[in-house]
Coordinates of all heavy atoms in Angstrom, one line a residue:
M824 N 1.3 1.0 18.2 CA 1.3 0.6 16.8 C 0.1 1.1 16.1 O -1.0 1.0 16.7 CB 1.4 -0.9 16.8 CG 1.6 -1.4 15.4 SD 3.3 -1.3 14.9 CE 3.2 -1.8 13.2
Y825 N 0.3 1.7 15.0 CA -0.9 2.3 14.3 C -1.7 1.3 13.5 O -2.8 1.6 13.1 CB -0.4 3.3 13.3 CG 0.4 2.7 12.1 CD1 -0.3 2.5 10.9 CD2 1.7 2.4 12.2 CE1 0.3 1.9 9.8 CE2 2.4 1.9 11.1 CZ 1.7 1.7 9.9 OH 2.3 1.1 8.8
L826 N -1.2 0.0 13.4 CA -2.0 -1.0 12.7 C -2.0 -2.3 13.5 O -1.0 -2.9 13.7 CB -1.3 -1.2 11.3 CG -2.0 -2.2 10.3 CD1 -3.3 -1.6 9.9 CD2 -1.1 -2.3 9.1
S827 N -3.2 -2.7 14.0 CA -3.3 -3.9 14.8 C -3.3 -5.1 13.9 O -3.5 -5.0 12.6 CB -4.5 -3.8 15.6 OG -5.7 -3.9 14.9
K828 N -3.2 -6.3 14.5 CA -3.3 -7.5 13.7 C -4.6 -7.7 13.0 O -4.7 -8.2 11.9 CB -3.1 -8.7 14.7 CG -1.7 -9.2 14.9 CD -1.8 -10.4 15.7 CE -0.4 -11.0 15.9 NZ -0.4 -12.2 16.6
E829 N -5.7 -7.3 13.7 CA -7.0 -7.4 13.2 C -7.2 -6.5 12.0 O -7.8 -6.9 11.0 CB -8.1 -7.1 14.2 CG -8.2 -8.1 15.4 CD -7.1 -7.9 16.4 OE1 -6.5 -6.7 16.5 OE2 -6.7 -8.8 17.2
E830 N -6.7 -5.3 12.0 CA -6.8 -4.4 10.9 C -6.0 -4.9 9.7 O -6.5 -4.8 8.6 CB -6.3 -3.0 11.3 CG -7.2 -2.3 12.2 CD -6.6 -1.0 12.7 OE1 -5.3 -0.9 12.8 OE2 -7.4 -0.1 13.1
K831 N -4.9 -5.4 10.0 CA -4.0 -6.0 8.9 C -4.7 -7.2 8.3 O -4.7 -7.3 7.0 CB -2.7 -6.4 9.5 CG -1.6 -6.6 8.5 CD -0.3 -7.0 9.2 CE 0.8 -6.2 8.6 NZ 2.1 -6.6 9.2
A832 N -5.3 -8.1 9.1 CA -6.0 -9.2 8.6 C -7.2 -8.8 7.7 O -7.5 -9.4 6.7 CB -6.4 -10.1 9.7
E833 N -7.9 -7.7 8.1 CA -9.0 -7.2 7.4 C -8.6 -6.7 6.0 O -9.3 -6.9 5.0 CB -9.7 -6.1 8.2 CG -11.0 -5.6 7.6 CD -12.1 -6.7 7.5 OE1 -12.2 -7.5 8.3 OE2 -12.8 -6.6 6.5
I834 N -7.5 -6.0 6.0 CA -7.0 -5.5 4.7 C -6.7 -6.7 3.8 O -7.1 -6.6 2.6 CB -5.7 -4.6 4.9 CG1 -6.1 -3.3 5.6 CG2 -5.0 -4.4 3.6 CD1 -4.9 -2.5 6.0
F835 N -6.0 -7.7 4.3 CA -5.7 -8.8 3.4 C -6.9 -9.6 3.0 O -7.0 -10.2 1.9 CB -4.6 -9.8 4.1 CG -3.3 -9.2 4.0 CD1 -2.6 -8.9 5.1 CD2 -2.6 -9.1 2.8 CE1 -1.3 -8.4 5.1 CE2 -1.3 -8.6 2.7 CZ -0.7 -8.2 3.8
K836 N -7.9 -9.7 3.9 CA -9.1 -10.4 3.6 C -9.9 -9.7 2.5 O -10.5 -10.3 1.6 CB -10.0 -10.5 4.9 CG -11.2 -11.3 4.7 CD -11.9 -11.5 6.0 CE -13.2 -12.3 5.9 NZ -13.9 -12.4 7.2
K837 N -9.9 -8.3 2.6 CA -10.7 -7.6 1.6 C -10.0 -7.5 0.2 O -10.7 -7.7 -0.8 CB -10.8 -6.1 2.1 CG -11.7 -5.2 1.2 CD -11.8 -3.9 1.9 CE -12.6 -3.0 0.9 NZ -12.7 -1.6 1.4
H838 N -8.7 -7.4 0.2 CA -8.0 -7.2 -1.1 C -7.3 -8.5 -1.5 O -7.0 -8.6 -2.7 CB -7.0 -6.1 -1.0 CG -7.7 -4.8 -0.7 ND1 -8.4 -4.1 -1.6 CD2 -7.7 -4.0 0.5 CE1 -8.9 -3.0 -1.0 NE2 -8.5 -2.9 0.2
G839 N -6.8 -9.3 -0.6 CA -6.0 -10.5 -1.0 C -6.8 -11.8 -1.2 O -6.2 -12.8 -1.5
G840 N -8.1 -11.8 -0.8 CA -8.9 -13.0 -1.0 C -9.1 -13.6 0.4 O -10.3 -13.9 0.7
S841 N -8.1 -13.8 1.2 CA -8.3 -14.4 2.6 C -7.2 -13.7 3.5 O -6.3 -13.2 3.0 CB -8.1 -15.9 2.6 OG -6.8 -16.3 2.6
E842 N -7.5 -13.8 4.7 CA -6.5 -13.1 5.7 C -5.2 -13.9 5.8 O -4.2 -13.3 6.2 CB -7.2 -13.0 7.1 CG -7.7 -14.3 7.7 CD -8.5 -14.0 8.9 OE1 -9.3 -13.1 8.9 OE2 -8.3 -14.8 9.9
N843 N -5.2 -15.1 5.3 CA -3.9 -15.9 5.3 C -3.1 -15.7 4.1 O -1.9 -16.0 4.0 CB -4.2 -17.3 5.5 CG -4.8 -17.6 6.9 OD1 -4.5 -16.9 7.8 ND2 -5.6 -18.6 7.0
N844 N -3.7 -15.1 3.1 CA -3.0 -14.9 1.8 C -2.3 -13.5 1.8 O -2.7 -12.6 1.1 CB -4.1 -14.9 0.6 CG -3.4 -14.9 -0.7 OD1 -2.2 -15.1 -0.8 ND2 -4.2 -14.8 -1.8
T845 N -1.2 -13.5 2.6 CA -0.5 -12.2 2.7 C 0.5 -12.0 1.6 O 1.1 -10.9 1.6 CB 0.3 -12.2 4.1 OG1 1.2 -13.3 4.1 CG2 -0.7 -12.3 5.2
G846 N 0.7 -12.9 0.7 CA 1.7 -12.8 -0.3 C 1.1 -12.3 -1.6 O 1.8 -12.0 -2.6
S847 N -0.2 -12.1 -1.7 CA -0.8 -11.7 -2.9 C -0.4 -10.2 -3.2 O -0.3 -9.4 -2.3 CB -2.3 -11.8 -2.9 OG -2.8 -10.8 -2.0
A848 N -0.2 -9.9 -4.5 CA 0.2 -8.6 -4.9 C -0.9 -7.6 -4.5 O -0.5 -6.5 -4.0 CB 0.4 -8.6 -6.4
E849 N -2.2 -7.9 -4.7 CA -3.2 -7.0 -4.3 C -3.2 -6.6 -2.8 O -3.4 -5.5 -2.4 CB -4.6 -7.5 -4.7 CG -4.8 -7.6 -6.2 CD -4.4 -8.9 -6.8 OE1 -3.7 -9.7 -6.1 OE2 -4.8 -9.2 -7.9
G850 N -3.0 -7.7 -2.0 CA -3.0 -7.4 -0.5 C -1.8 -6.6 -0.1 O -2.0 -5.7 0.7
Q851 N -0.7 -6.8 -0.7 CA 0.5 -6.0 -0.4 C 0.4 -4.6 -0.8 O 0.8 -3.7 -0.1 CB 1.8 -6.7 -1.0 CG 2.1 -8.0 -0.3 CD 3.4 -8.5 -0.9 OE1 4.2 -7.9 -1.6 NE2 3.7 -9.8 -0.5
I852 N -0.2 -4.4 -2.0 CA -0.4 -3.1 -2.5 C -1.4 -2.3 -1.6 O -1.2 -1.1 -1.3 CB -0.9 -3.1 -4.0 CG1 0.2 -3.6 -4.9 CG2 -1.4 -1.7 -4.4 CD1 -0.3 -3.9 -6.3
A853 N -2.4 -3.0 -1.2 CA -3.4 -2.3 -0.3 C -2.7 -2.0 1.1 O -3.0 -0.9 1.6 CB -4.6 -3.3 0.0
L854 N -1.9 -2.9 1.6 CA -1.2 -2.6 2.8 C -0.2 -1.4 2.7 O -0.2 -0.5 3.5 CB -0.5 -3.8 3.3 CG 0.3 -3.7 4.7 CD1 -0.7 -3.5 5.8 CD2 1.1 -4.9 4.9
F855 N 0.5 -1.4 1.6 CA 1.4 -0.3 1.3 C 0.6 1.0 1.2 O 1.1 2.0 1.7 CB 2.3 -0.5 0.1 CG 3.3 -1.6 0.2 CD1 3.9 -2.2 -0.9 CD2 3.8 -1.9 1.5 CE1 4.9 -3.1 -0.7 CE2 4.8 -2.8 1.6 CZ 5.4 -3.5 0.5
T856 N -0.5 1.0 0.6 CA -1.3 2.2 0.4 C -1.8 2.7 1.8 O -1.8 3.9 2.0 CB -2.5 1.9 -0.5 OG1 -2.0 1.5 -1.8 CG2 -3.4 3.1 -0.7
Y857 N -2.2 1.8 2.6 CA -2.6 2.2 4.0 C -1.5 2.8 4.7 O -1.6 3.9 5.3 CB -3.1 0.9 4.8 CG -3.6 1.3 6.2 CD1 -4.9 1.7 6.4 CD2 -2.7 1.2 7.2 CE1 -5.3 2.0 7.7 CE2 -3.1 1.5 8.5 CZ -4.4 1.9 8.7 OH -4.8 2.2 10.0
R858 N -0.3 2.2 4.6 CA 0.9 2.8 5.3 C 1.3 4.1 4.7 O 1.7 5.0 5.5 CB 2.1 1.8 5.2 CG 1.8 0.5 6.1 CD 2.9 -0.5 5.9 NE 4.2 0.0 6.4 CZ 5.3 -0.6 6.1 NH1 5.3 -1.7 5.4 NH2 6.5 -0.1 6.5
I859 N 1.2 4.2 3.4 CA 1.6 5.5 2.7 C 0.6 6.6 3.2 O 1.1 7.7 3.5 CB 1.6 5.3 1.2 CG1 2.8 4.5 0.8 CG2 1.5 6.7 0.5 CD1 2.7 4.0 -0.7
N860 N -0.6 6.3 3.3 CA -1.6 7.3 3.7 C -1.3 7.7 5.2 O -1.4 8.9 5.5 CB -3.0 6.8 3.6 CG -3.4 6.7 2.2 OD1 -2.9 7.3 1.3 ND2 -4.4 5.8 1.9
H861 N -1.0 6.7 6.0 CA -0.6 7.0 7.4 C 0.6 7.9 7.5 O 0.6 8.9 8.3 CB -0.4 5.7 8.2 CG 0.0 5.9 9.6 ND1 -0.9 6.3 10.6 CD2 1.2 5.8 10.2 CE1 -0.2 6.4 11.7 NE2 1.1 6.1 11.5
L862 N 1.6 7.6 6.8 CA 2.9 8.4 6.8 C 2.7 9.8 6.2 O 3.3 10.7 6.7 CB 4.0 7.7 6.1 CG 4.5 6.4 6.8 CD1 5.6 5.8 5.9 CD2 5.1 6.7 8.2
T863 N 1.8 9.9 5.2 CA 1.5 11.2 4.6 C 0.9 12.1 5.7 O 1.2 13.3 5.8 CB 0.6 11.0 3.4 OG1 1.3 10.2 2.5 CG2 0.4 12.4 2.7
G864 N -0.1 11.6 6.4 CA -0.7 12.3 7.5 C 0.3 12.8 8.5 O 0.3 13.9 9.1
H865 N 1.2 11.9 8.9 CA 2.3 12.2 9.9 C 3.2 13.3 9.3 O 3.5 14.2 10.1 CB 3.1 11.0 10.2 CG 4.3 11.2 11.0 ND1 4.3 11.4 12.4 CD2 5.6 11.3 10.7 CE1 5.5 11.6 12.8 NE2 6.3 11.6 11.8
L866 N 3.5 13.3 8.1 CA 4.5 14.3 7.5 C 3.8 15.6 7.3 O 4.5 16.6 7.3 CB 5.0 13.8 6.2 CG 6.1 12.8 6.3 CD1 6.5 12.3 4.9 CD2 7.3 13.4 7.0
K867 N 2.5 15.7 7.3 CA 1.8 17.0 7.2 C 1.9 17.7 8.5 O 2.0 18.9 8.5 CB 0.3 16.8 6.8 CG 0.1 16.4 5.4 CD -1.3 16.3 5.0 CE -1.5 15.9 3.6 NZ -2.9 15.7 3.2
K868 N 2.0 17.0 9.6 CA 2.2 17.6 10.9 C 3.7 17.8 11.2 O 4.0 18.8 12.0 CB 1.6 16.7 12.0 CG 0.1 16.6 11.9 CD -0.4 15.7 13.1 CE -1.4 14.7 12.5 NZ -1.6 13.6 13.4
N869 N 4.5 17.0 10.8 CA 6.0 17.0 11.1 C 6.8 17.2 9.8 O 7.3 16.2 9.3 CB 6.4 15.8 11.9 CG 5.5 15.5 13.0 OD1 5.5 16.3 14.0 ND2 4.7 14.4 13.0
Q870 N 6.9 18.4 9.3 CA 7.6 18.6 8.0 C 9.1 18.3 8.1 O 9.6 17.9 7.0 CB 7.4 20.0 7.6 CG 6.0 20.4 7.2 CD 5.2 21.0 8.3 OE1 5.7 21.2 9.4 NE2 3.9 21.1 8.1
K871 N 9.7 18.3 9.2 CA 11.1 18.1 9.3 C 11.6 16.7 9.6 O 12.7 16.5 9.9 CB 11.8 19.1 10.2 CG 11.6 20.5 9.8 CD 12.4 21.5 10.6 CE 12.3 22.9 10.1 NZ 13.1 23.8 10.8
D872 N 10.6 15.8 9.6 CA 10.9 14.4 9.9 C 11.5 13.7 8.6 O 10.7 13.1 7.9 CB 9.7 13.7 10.4 CG 10.0 12.3 11.0 OD1 11.1 11.9 10.9 OD2 9.1 11.7 11.5
F873 N 12.7 13.8 8.4 CA 13.3 13.4 7.1 C 13.4 11.9 7.0 O 13.4 11.3 6.0 CB 14.7 14.1 6.9 CG 14.6 15.6 6.8 CD1 15.1 16.4 7.8 CD2 13.8 16.2 5.8 CE1 15.0 17.7 7.7 CE2 13.7 17.5 5.7 CZ 14.3 18.3 6.7
N874 N 13.6 11.2 8.2 CA 13.6 9.7 8.2 C 12.3 9.1 7.7 O 12.3 8.2 6.9 CB 14.0 9.2 9.5 CG 15.4 9.5 9.9 OD1 16.3 9.6 9.1 ND2 15.7 9.8 11.2
T875 N 11.2 9.7 8.2 CA 9.9 9.3 7.8 C 9.7 9.6 6.3 O 9.1 8.8 5.6 CB 8.8 9.9 8.6 OG1 9.1 9.6 10.0 CG2 7.4 9.4 8.2
E876 N 10.2 10.7 5.9 CA 10.1 11.1 4.4 C 10.8 10.1 3.6 O 10.3 9.6 2.5 CB 10.6 12.5 4.2 CG 10.4 13.0 2.8 CD 11.0 14.4 2.7 OE1 11.4 15.0 3.7 OE2 11.0 14.9 1.5
R877 N 12.0 9.6 4.0 CA 12.7 8.6 3.2 C 11.9 7.3 3.2 O 11.9 6.6 2.2 CB 14.1 8.4 3.8 CG 14.9 7.4 3.1 CD 16.3 7.3 3.7 NE 17.2 6.5 2.9 CZ 17.2 5.2 3.0 NH1 16.5 4.6 4.0 NH2 18.0 4.5 2.3
S878 N 11.4 6.9 4.4 CA 10.6 5.7 4.4 C 9.4 5.8 3.5 O 9.0 4.8 2.8 CB 10.1 5.4 5.8 OG 11.2 5.3 6.7
L879 N 8.8 6.9 3.4 CA 7.6 7.1 2.6 C 8.0 6.9 1.1 O 7.3 6.2 0.3 CB 7.0 8.5 2.8 CG 5.8 8.9 1.9 CD1 4.6 7.9 2.1 CD2 5.4 10.3 2.1
V880 N 9.1 7.5 0.7 CA 9.6 7.4 -0.7 C 9.9 5.9 -1.0 O 9.6 5.5 -2.1 CB 10.8 8.3 -0.9 CG1 11.5 8.0 -2.2 CG2 10.4 9.8 -0.8
M881 N 10.5 5.2 -0.1 CA 10.8 3.8 -0.3 C 9.5 3.0 -0.5 O 9.5 2.1 -1.3 CB 11.7 3.3 0.8 CG 13.1 3.8 0.8 SD 14.1 3.4 2.2 CE 13.9 1.7 2.4
L882 N 8.5 3.3 0.4 CA 7.3 2.6 0.3 C 6.6 2.8 -1.1 O 6.0 1.9 -1.7 CB 6.3 3.0 1.4 CG 6.4 2.2 2.7 CD1 5.4 2.8 3.7 CD2 6.1 0.7 2.5
V883 N 6.6 4.0 -1.5 CA 6.0 4.4 -2.8 C 6.7 3.6 -3.9 O 6.1 3.1 -4.8 CB 6.0 5.9 -3.1 CG1 5.6 6.2 -4.5 CG2 5.1 6.6 -2.1
G884 N 8.0 3.5 -3.8 CA 8.8 2.7 -4.8 C 8.4 1.2 -4.8 O 8.3 0.6 -5.9
K885 N 8.3 0.7 -3.6 CA 7.9 -0.7 -3.5 C 6.5 -1.0 -4.1 O 6.3 -1.9 -4.8 CB 7.9 -1.2 -2.0 CG 9.2 -1.4 -1.4 CD 9.0 -1.9 0.0 CE 10.3 -2.1 0.7 NZ 10.2 -2.7 2.0
R886 N 5.6 0.0 -3.8 CA 4.2 -0.2 -4.3 C 4.2 -0.1 -5.9 O 3.6 -0.8 -6.6 CB 3.3 0.9 -3.7 CG 1.9 0.7 -4.2 CD 0.9 1.7 -3.6 NE 1.2 3.1 -4.1 CZ 0.5 4.2 -3.7 NH1 -0.4 4.0 -2.8 NH2 0.8 5.3 -4.2
R887 N 5.1 0.9 -6.4 CA 5.2 1.1 -7.8 C 5.7 -0.2 -8.5 O 5.2 -0.6 -9.5 CB 6.1 2.2 -8.1 CG 6.3 2.5 -9.6 CD 5.1 3.2 -10.2 NE 4.4 2.2 -11.0 CZ 3.1 2.3 -11.4 NH1 2.4 3.3 -11.1 NH2 2.6 1.4 -12.1
S888 N 6.7 -0.9 -7.9 CA 7.3 -2.1 -8.5 C 6.2 -3.2 -8.4 O 6.2 -4.0 -9.4 CB 8.5 -2.5 -7.8 OG 8.3 -2.8 -6.4
L889 N 5.4 -3.3 -7.4 CA 4.4 -4.3 -7.3 C 3.3 -4.0 -8.4 O 2.8 -5.0 -9.0 CB 3.7 -4.4 -6.0 CG 4.4 -5.2 -4.9 CD1 3.8 -5.1 -3.6 CD2 4.4 -6.7 -5.3
L890 N 3.0 -2.8 -8.6 CA 2.0 -2.4 -9.6 C 2.5 -2.7 -11.0 O 1.8 -3.2 -11.9 CB 1.6 -0.9 -9.5 CG 0.7 -0.6 -8.3 CD1 0.6 0.9 -8.1 CD2 -0.7 -1.2 -8.5
D891 N 3.8 -2.5 -11.2 CA 4.4 -2.8 -12.5 C 4.4 -4.3 -12.7 O 4.1 -4.8 -13.9 CB 5.9 -2.3 -12.6 CG 6.0 -0.8 -12.7 OD1 5.0 -0.2 -13.0 OD2 7.1 -0.3 -12.4
Y892 N 4.7 -5.1 -11.7 CA 4.6 -6.5 -11.8 C 3.2 -7.0 -12.2 O 3.0 -7.8 -13.0 CB 5.0 -7.2 -10.5 CG 4.6 -8.6 -10.3 CD1 5.4 -9.6 -11.0 CD2 3.5 -9.0 -9.6 CE1 5.0 -11.0 -10.9 CE2 3.1 -10.3 -9.5 CZ 3.9 -11.3 -10.1 OH 3.5 -12.6 -10.0
L893 N 2.2 -6.4 -11.5 CA 0.8 -6.7 -11.8 C 0.4 -6.4 -13.2 O -0.4 -7.1 -13.8 CB -0.1 -6.1 -10.7 CG -1.4 -6.7 -10.4 CD1 -1.2 -8.2 -10.0 CD2 -2.1 -6.0 -9.3
I894 N 0.9 -5.3 -13.7 CA 0.6 -4.9 -15.1 C 1.1 -6.0 -16.1 O 0.4 -6.4 -17.0 CB 1.2 -3.5 -15.5 CG1 0.4 -2.4 -14.9 CG2 1.3 -3.4 -17.0 CD1 1.0 -1.0 -15.2
K895 N 2.3 -6.5 -15.8 CA 2.9 -7.5 -16.7 C 2.1 -8.8 -16.6 O 1.9 -9.5 -17.6 CB 4.3 -7.7 -16.4 CG 5.2 -6.6 -16.7 CD 6.7 -6.9 -16.3 CE 7.5 -5.7 -16.1 NZ 8.8 -5.9 -15.5
K896 N 1.7 -9.2 -15.4 CA 1.1 -10.5 -15.2 C -0.4 -10.5 -15.6 O -0.8 -11.4 -16.3 CB 1.2 -10.9 -13.8 CG 2.6 -11.3 -13.4 CD 3.2 -12.3 -14.3 CE 3.4 -13.6 -13.5 NZ 4.1 -14.6 -14.4
D897 N -1.2 -9.5 -15.1 CA -2.6 -9.5 -15.4 C -3.2 -8.1 -15.3 O -3.3 -7.5 -14.2 CB -3.3 -10.4 -14.3 CG -4.7 -10.7 -14.6 OD1 -5.2 -10.2 -15.7 OD2 -5.4 -11.4 -13.9
I898 N -3.4 -7.5 -16.5 CA -3.9 -6.1 -16.5 C -5.3 -6.0 -15.9 O -5.6 -4.9 -15.4 CB -3.9 -5.7 -18.0 CG1 -4.1 -4.1 -18.1 CG2 -4.9 -6.4 -18.8 CD1 -2.9 -3.3 -17.7
V899 N -6.1 -7.0 -15.9 CA -7.4 -6.9 -15.3 C -7.3 -6.7 -13.8 O -8.0 -5.9 -13.2 CB -8.3 -8.1 -15.7 CG1 -9.6 -8.1 -15.0 CG2 -8.4 -8.2 -17.2
R900 N -6.5 -7.5 -13.2 CA -6.3 -7.4 -11.7 C -5.7 -6.0 -11.4 O -6.0 -5.4 -10.4 CB -5.3 -8.5 -11.2 CG -6.0 -9.8 -11.2 CD -5.0 -11.0 -10.9 NE -4.2 -10.8 -9.8 CZ -3.0 -11.4 -9.5 NH1 -2.6 -12.4 -10.4 NH2 -2.3 -11.2 -8.5
Y901 N -4.8 -5.5 -12.2 CA -4.2 -4.2 -12.0 C -5.3 -3.1 -12.1 O -5.3 -2.3 -11.2 CB -3.1 -3.9 -13.1 CG -2.6 -2.5 -13.1 CD1 -1.7 -2.1 -12.2 CD2 -3.1 -1.6 -14.1 CE1 -1.2 -0.8 -12.3 CE2 -2.7 -0.3 -14.1 CZ -1.7 0.1 -13.2 OH -1.3 1.4 -13.2
R902 N -6.1 -3.2 -13.1 CA -7.2 -2.1 -13.2 C -8.1 -2.2 -12.0 O -8.6 -1.2 -11.5 CB -7.9 -2.3 -14.5 CG -7.0 -1.9 -15.7 CD -7.8 -2.0 -17.0 NE -6.9 -1.6 -18.1 CZ -7.0 -2.1 -19.3 NH1 -7.9 -3.0 -19.6 NH2 -6.2 -1.6 -20.2
A903 N -8.4 -3.4 -11.6 CA -9.3 -3.6 -10.4 C -8.8 -3.0 -9.2 O -9.5 -2.3 -8.4 CB -9.6 -5.1 -10.3
I904 N -7.5 -3.3 -8.9 CA -6.9 -2.8 -7.6 C -6.7 -1.2 -7.7 O -6.9 -0.6 -6.7 CB -5.6 -3.5 -7.3 CG1 -5.2 -3.2 -5.8 CG2 -4.5 -3.1 -8.2 CD1 -6.0 -3.9 -4.8
I905 N -6.4 -0.7 -8.8 CA -6.3 0.7 -9.0 C -7.6 1.4 -8.7 O -7.7 2.4 -8.0 CB -5.8 1.1 -10.4 CG1 -4.3 0.7 -10.6 CG2 -6.0 2.6 -10.7 CD1 -3.4 1.5 -9.7
K906 N -8.7 0.8 -9.3 CA -10.0 1.4 -9.1 C -10.5 1.3 -7.7 O -11.1 2.2 -7.1 CB -11.0 0.7 -10.1 CG -12.4 1.3 -10.1 CD -13.2 0.7 -11.1 CE -14.6 1.3 -11.1 NZ -15.5 0.7 -12.1
E907 N -10.2 0.1 -7.1 CA -10.7 -0.1 -5.7 C -10.0 0.8 -4.7 O -10.6 1.3 -3.8 CB -10.4 -1.6 -5.4 CG -11.0 -2.1 -4.1 CD -10.9 -3.6 -4.0 OE1 -10.6 -4.3 -5.0 OE2 -11.0 -4.0 -2.8
L908 N -8.7 1.0 -4.9 CA -7.9 1.9 -3.9 C -8.0 3.3 -4.3 O -7.6 4.2 -3.5 CB -6.5 1.4 -3.8 CG -6.3 0.0 -3.3 CD1 -4.8 -0.4 -3.3 CD2 -6.7 -0.1 -1.8
G909 N -8.4 3.6 -5.5 CA -8.4 5.0 -5.9 C -7.1 5.7 -6.1 O -6.9 6.8 -5.7
L910 N -6.2 4.9 -6.7 CA -4.8 5.4 -6.9 C -4.6 6.4 -8.1 O -3.8 7.2 -8.1 CB -3.8 4.3 -7.1 CG -3.7 3.3 -5.8 CD1 -2.7 2.2 -6.1 CD2 -3.3 4.1 -4.6
R911 N -5.5 6.2 -9.1 CA -5.4 7.1 -10.3 C -6.6 8.0 -10.3 O -7.7 7.6 -9.9 CB -5.3 6.3 -11.6 CG -4.1 5.4 -11.6 CD -2.8 6.1 -11.9 NE -1.7 5.2 -11.8 CZ -0.9 5.0 -10.7 NH1 -1.2 5.6 -9.6 NH2 0.1 4.2 -10.8
K912 N -6.5 9.1 -10.9 CA -7.6 10.0 -11.0 C -8.3 9.9 -12.4 O -7.7 9.6 -13.3 CB -7.2 11.5 -10.8 CG -6.4 11.6 -9.5 CD -7.0 12.6 -8.6 CE -6.2 12.6 -7.4 NZ -6.5 13.1 -6.2

């Protein structure tokens, strides 16, 4: 497995407030970003892995919907997570 329990808990602790707060939008966005980066690296080596490509597109869509939710609820939190993860240039 590419992501251990400890690494996952660290992501939620850093972005979600605590390691038990796995439902926060910021924590989920950070986890999706980590997984997207991992799958992107995999696809650079394996261009014909179409199942992984589909999974990557689905993850990007999930992250986009969470970001849209965060824009509607709290624009300050949205800007903070975007800046922290470096999603926009």
Side-chain angles (χ1 to χ4, degrees):
M824 186 77 186
Y825 70 95
L826 186 62
S827 67
K828 269 187 176 181
E829 293 80 22
E830 290 172 332
K831 195 179 229 184
E833 184 63 34
I834 289 173
F835 282 116
K836 186 176 181 183
K837 183 177 179 186
H838 299 286
S841 82
E842 56 191 41
N843 294 330
N844 190 7
T845 59
S847 70
E849 290 93 343
Q851 289 183 14
I852 290 168
L854 181 64
F855 286 159
T856 301
Y857 180 86
R858 290 174 63 194
I859 287 168
N860 292 337
H861 176 77
L862 290 177
T863 302
H865 171 78
L866 282 174
K867 285 183 181 176
K868 295 181 225 164
N869 307 295
Q870 290 91 10
K871 294 189 178 185
D872 190 354
F873 299 113
N874 292 326
T875 302
E876 185 177 354
R877 180 175 186 274
S878 299
L879 176 65
V880 170
M881 288 172 49
L882 270 177
V883 170
K885 283 183 182 181
R886 182 177 70 180
R887 180 73 257 162
S888 65
L889 275 174
L890 286 169
D891 289 343
Y892 165 78
L893 207 52
I894 282 178
K895 291 178 198 171
K896 290 305 246 184
D897 191 359
I898 191 73
V899 175
R900 287 171 50 199
Y901 169 79
R902 289 182 180 149
I904 194 72
I905 289 295
K906 186 175 183 181
E907 194 172 338
L908 295 175
L910 295 179
R911 301 285 177 266
K912 305 235 177 195

